């Protein structure tokens, strides 16, 4: 189940943050993605550095500095993945793996019944669980 492998110390980004603030948070913590939450802590999206760096989203290298500044000042709400799939802590790992494969997302937030983020399960968490002893017990 997800609760056996998820990270419970989850870095989140406020839905009031701009792209520059969010990028700095992701960089400071060395993570590639983070759930975006409302002031109440409810999941509203997922932001990834890979999505921020998509070529269709970035200005041209020779663009005026104001174009780059406008990108950095843009709200995370405008660039986050939403609606974002989420899982309950008691979800089977195989189901999570299927969603990650189908969506291409790097991981999924785990939420409680009220939609508040309680954890995050990533591809790496699943891989670590598979190679840990006893690995076959996960799939029975």
């Amino acid at each position: 189940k997800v609760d056996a492998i998820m990270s419970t110390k989850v870095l989140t980004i406020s839905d009031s943050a701009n792209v520059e603030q969010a990028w700095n948070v992701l960089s400071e913590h060395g993570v590639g993605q983070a759930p975006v939450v409302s002031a109440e802590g409810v999941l509203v999206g997922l932001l990834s550095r890979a999505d921020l760096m998509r070529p269709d989203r970035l200005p041209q290298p020779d663009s005026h500095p104001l174009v780059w500044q406008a990108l950095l000042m843009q709200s995370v709400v405008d660039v986050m993945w939403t609606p974002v799939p989420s899982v309950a802590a008691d979800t089977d790992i195989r189901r999570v793996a299927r969603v990650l494969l189908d969506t291409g997302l790097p991981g999924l937030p785990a939420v409680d019944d009220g939609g508040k983020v309680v954890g995050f399960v990533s591809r790496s968490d699943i891989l670590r669980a598979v190679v840990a002893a006893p690995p076959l017990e996960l799939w029975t």
Side-chain angles (χ1 to χ4, degrees):
K1 302 288 180 182
V2 168
D3 60 355
I5 65 168
M6 72 181 185
S7 301
T8 56
K9 293 182 181 181
V10 182
L11 175 70
T12 60
I13 296 174
S14 169
D15 63 357
S16 64
N18 64 34
V19 168
E20 181 178 22
Q21 293 165 331
W23 181 270
N24 288 336
V25 168
L26 294 173
S27 294
E28 285 172 20
H29 292 89
V31 297
Q33 71 279 328
V36 179
V37 296
S38 68
E40 296 78 28
V42 175
L43 178 67
V44 295
L46 183 70
L47 186 69
S48 76
R49 285 195 289 181
D51 284 336
L52 291 175
M53 296 300 294
R54 284 192 350 233
D56 64 321
R57 183 165 282 154
L58 294 174
Q60 294 298 314
D62 60 349
S63 293
H64 192 279
L66 289 177
V67 176
W68 284 95
Q69 187 176 14
L71 170 70
L72 294 174
M73 297 312 295
Q74 197 172 12
S75 171
V76 295
V77 172
D78 297 332
V79 297
M80 69 186 183
W81 176 297
T82 190
V84 60
S86 60
V87 296
D90 64 350
T91 303
D92 185 270
I93 295 169
R94 286 175 291 190
R95 191 166 184 193
V96 175
R98 171 55 43 204
V99 172
L100 295 179
L101 284 171
D102 290 347
T103 63
L105 288 170
L108 294 176
V111 297
D112 64 15
D113 292 338
K116 291 188 178 181
V117 176
V118 296
F120 193 87
V121 61
S122 69
R123 291 181 199 153
S124 297
D125 294 328
I126 294 171
L127 290 172
R128 269 192 292 279
V130 169
V131 298
L136 296 178
E137 194 170 293
L138 289 172
W139 310 110
T140 59

